[in-house]
Amino acid sequence: GKKVLIVYAHQEPKSLNGSLKGVAVEELSKQGCSVTVSDLYAMQFEPRATRNDIVGCLHNSEEFNYGMETWEAYKRGDLSSDLIEEQKKVQEADLLIFQFPLYWFSMPAIMKGWMDRVLVQGFAHEFPNCYDSGLLKNKLALFSFTTGGSREMYAKGGISGDIRYLLWPMQHGIMHFCGVKVLAPHICFAPEYVSEEKRKEMLIAWAQRLKTLWKEEPINCSPEWYFK
Amino acid sequence: GKKVLIVYAHQEPKSLNGSLKGVAVEELSKQGCSVTVSDLYAMQFEPRATRNDIVGCLHNSEEFNYGMETWEAYKRGDLSSDLIEEQKKVQEADLLIFQFPLYWFSMPAIMKGWMDRVLVQGFAHEFPNCYDSGLLKNKLALFSFTTGGSREMYAKGGISGDIRYLLWPMQHGIMHFCGVKVLAPHICFAPEYVSEEKRKEMLIAWAQRLKTLWKEEPINCSPEWYFK
């Protein structure tokens, strides 16, 4: 069976994000996948990139450089235990699903902190091994999120611009940079402003998509896909 | 004199980001501006959007909705004290400068948390008061940051795409949404890979720009500026 890591960032289990996460666990488990969830708020996951991420002495204690220190600590096996644990989950996964409510055209800070701290040089990339030769190649990623704004606001020519514009930093800048292939995003527009029945349809649509997920082709993660 | 808030996110005072922040404090003070700095790592600023941001009872304790609860708490004056303090600084400022190293095509999580938690509905926007009628209109913002990648990687057609692509969520999705007008970004490309002399030139160029900053016109913050 395939291995899936769901990185989940919502404070409320009863939220639509909580239900979408639940649907994914259920459907993928039913398929025989082994599913792991990193429930970031429940874990009180630390988003701040600090000296605490390195156990023991620094490589250069005169001038703290987070990128360099975590790279060195990774090679020595001296990253903090919460990071090592997340890296193990990533290493084992065939598919990473990021489930979150869109905050300010991006992911919530707690999830950005997961990216900042877990995907260190040496583990996820190591120049010149980036983009197509990133160290996490042969994995897939899928961004699944809810929005506050409507589909119309996020249309091309809409006031918030094509939703694809804001996917560039997350899909290309993070996942593609690490060599991960990106499946089409799964977006639930403005669930707070629709009926309970519509929200149920959103959950059904997600379960439905997951049934044939492994047959999907990744998107072509280049500027054309985002900006046409 | 004008009032400036510098929101600063670097762990190391001796870093180029630390020096850029120092240069801004010095040059703007010299001009007679009153300058405040929110040094996020030094403050151990909390990036996580949680129930702790609301003092006392919740509006709906059955199902926690961060956006709704902070909106209600703002109206009641019941946001946590660290948020009220940051909002006061924003309210008083004519110009917000965000100084940070680019992490994953975006700001570090600690600064994303500042956006997520400080710019709450009721304070920074309140539908339909968003974009040009956002509640922080008549203010200016400027994103000043360093990159790991080179200018060539961030050129149009470069492997990381035009640097303007990644400015969309920060400048348009956050600042413009709140009604803030955006000055051209200030970008120091790949300072880690240039000589000490080149880094000094970067500091001088920033001081130089700041001398005539108040005469600058904001960018036209629409898709054309970003995606041409």
Side-chain angles (χ1 to χ4, degrees), chain A residues 40-147:
Chain A
L40 300 181
Y41 286 104
M43 296 157 73
Q44 302 190 291
F45 188 80
E46 170 62 71
R48 291 165 288 208
T50 71
R51 193 257 174 268
N52 298 336
D53 290 352
I54 298 100
V55 175
C57 292
L58 293 177
H59 182 75
N60 176 4
S61 58
E62 290 295 302
E63 195 178 321
F64 182 71
N65 178 321
Y66 184 79
M68 199 256 282
E69 291 296 341
T70 50
W71 188 12
E72 292 293 332
Y74 175 77
K75 289 187 278 189
R76 295 194 314 263
D78 278 348
L79 285 174
S80 64
S81 57
D82 60 333
L83 297 187
I84 291 176
E85 216 162 299
E86 292 307 299
Q87 290 179 344
K88 264 191 213 146
K89 297 179 194 170
V90 172
Q91 199 56 75
E92 288 176 3
D94 298 296
L95 167 65
L96 311 172
I97 296 178
F98 298 96
Q99 181 68 56
F100 58 99
L102 197 69
Y103 276 15
W104 291 117
F105 277 43
S106 183
M107 59 193 96
I110 198 169
M111 186 176 279
K112 181 57 167 49
W114 188 94
M115 305 287 179
D116 290 352
R117 297 178 61 236
V118 175
L119 303 176
V120 306
Q121 182 148 199
F123 171 69
H125 55 93
E126 190 159 19
F127 197 78
N129 290 316
C130 58
Y131 292 113
D132 291 346
S133 57
L135 301 180
L136 303 182
K137 55 181 180 293
N138 303 320
K139 297 184 190 298
L140 295 167
L142 192 166
F143 287 85
S144 174
F145 57 96
T146 58
T147 70

Side-chain angles (χ1 to χ4, degrees), chain B residues 78-105:
Chain B
D78 278 349
L79 284 174
S80 63
S81 58
D82 60 334
L83 297 187
I84 291 176
E85 214 161 299
E86 292 306 301
Q87 289 178 344
K88 263 190 213 147
K89 298 179 194 171
V90 171
Q91 199 59 73
E92 288 176 3
D94 299 296
L95 166 64
L96 311 172
I97 295 179
F98 297 96
Q99 180 67 56
F100 59 99
L102 197 68
Y103 277 15
W104 291 118
F105 277 43

Side-chain angles (χ1 to χ4, degrees), chain B residues 185-206:
Chain B
H186 198 83
I187 309 171
C188 294
F189 286 99
E192 290 190 55
Y193 304 101
V194 303
S195 64
E196 189 55 36
E197 201 187 315
K198 277 272 173 219
R199 275 195 295 277
K200 278 190 186 139
E201 285 173 24
M202 288 175 173
L203 295 175
I204 293 168
W206 179 224

Side-chain angles (χ1 to χ4, degrees), chain A residues 11-12 14 44-45 48-49 62 64-65 103-104 107 109 112 115-116 131 160 165 172-173 192 227, chain B residues 11-12 14 44-45 48-49 62 64-65 103-104 107 109 112 115-116 131 159-160 165 173 192 227:
Chain A
Q11 307 89 346
E12 174 57 61
K14 292 182 210 157
Q44 302 190 291
F45 188 80
R48 291 165 288 208
E62 290 295 302
F64 182 71
N65 178 321
Y103 276 15
W104 291 117
M107 59 193 96
K112 181 57 167 49
M115 305 287 179
D116 290 352
Y131 292 113
S160 294
Y165 297 164
H172 181 75
E192 290 190 56
F227 313 116
Chain B
Q11 307 89 346
E12 174 58 61
K14 292 183 211 156
Q44 302 191 292
F45 188 80
R48 289 164 289 208
E62 291 294 303
F64 182 72
N65 179 321
Y103 277 15
W104 291 118
M107 59 193 95
K112 181 56 166 52
M115 305 286 178
D116 291 351
Y131 291 112
I159 194 164
S160 293
Y165 296 165
E192 290 190 55
F227 313 116

Side-chain angles (χ1 to χ4, degrees), chain B residues 51-68:
Chain B
R51 192 255 175 269
N52 298 336
D53 291 351
I54 299 101
V55 174
C57 293
L58 294 176
H59 183 74
N60 176 4
S61 57
E62 291 294 303
E63 196 179 320
F64 182 72
N65 179 321
Y66 185 79
M68 199 256 281

